[in-house]
Amino acid sequence: MSFYKNFEEYNLKATDDVKEKYSKIIEGVGEDVQREGLVKTPERAAKAMMFLTQGYKQDPVEILKGAMFKEDYDDMVIIKDIELYSLCEHHMLPFFGKAHVAYIPNGHIVGLSKIPRVVDVFARRLQVQERLTHDILECLNNTLKPKGVAVVIEASHMCMMMRGVQKQNSVTTTSGFRGQFEKQETRNEFLKLISSNLS
């Protein structure tokens, strides 16, 4: 059974276990968990955590395979500015930004909505941005078997903004390329397209 099913239905046992742990955390920082504003906080926080980590119970390969179609198209397909929200595994603080994903089909295309869904599956786990980029790249490459795949992620990390070095304007960019995108000409075309405003 999935930990998180939809916005209102949760695995009650798992949620209760996490709720109890949040109660102890609140007490541990010196707060009164029975104070009016905090009485329901452990439950809310538990449900939020189940939502933010639901990617562990989802299969990105099945998402892609469920919407693959034979098509004689072999030019670049780009989905850019895909919003992403994840949790840094080092401090469990959010990082957020956007992903740009491209692939060059090799006999099959995939439903366009499936690529953002794959991004969400991997983002909704405890992550580091480098592995998130690699996970998305390898999933698309191994499942679609395209002529090439490219992934670029730009994100801001609350673990750098709220604590530690406290650099509010820093943005981290990671990238990965496979197949034809390893050629400089194809890679440059992709980077130019994701940087431009075509509208």
Side-chain angles (χ1 to χ4, degrees), residues 163-182:
R163 56 162 301 284
V165 295
Q166 299 181 62
K167 299 301 180 188
Q168 279 72 40
N169 297 311
S170 63
V171 176
T172 301
T173 302
T174 49
S175 63
F177 305 96
R178 293 290 183 273
Q180 289 189 11
F181 287 98
E182 295 175 273

Side-chain angles (χ1 to χ4, degrees), residues 28-66:
V29 300
E31 260 289 5
D32 177 9
V33 76
Q34 296 304 318
R35 184 163 64 79
E36 182 182 10
L38 292 174
V39 169
K40 293 187 177 180
T41 297
E43 180 179 357
R44 293 189 192 103
K47 288 181 177 180
M49 183 58 67
M50 304 308 278
F51 177 83
L52 294 171
T53 57
Q54 64 181 290
Y56 288 115
K57 296 298 181 180
Q58 297 173 331
D59 187 345
V61 173
E62 289 305 310
I63 289 171
L64 291 174
K65 285 183 174 179

Side-chain angles (χ1 to χ4, degrees), residues 65-78:
K65 285 183 174 179
M68 288 176 63
F69 310 100
K70 289 183 179 179
E71 191 65 44
D72 186 21
Y73 182 87
D74 58 2
D75 290 308
M76 195 181 301
V77 178
I78 301 174

Side-chain angles (χ1 to χ4, degrees), residues 89-108:
E89 67 181 34
H90 298 147
H91 301 97
M92 291 180 69
L93 289 173
F95 67 93
F96 57 93
K98 54 190 176 181
H100 313 288
V101 179
Y103 75 102
I104 300 173
N106 187 20
H108 288 85

Side-chain angles (χ1 to χ4, degrees), residues 152-166:
V152 171
I153 293 178
E154 305 169 88
S156 298
H157 293 249
M158 298 304 284
C159 59
M160 290 179 62
M161 297 166 71
M162 293 177 65
R163 56 162 301 284
V165 295
Q166 299 181 62

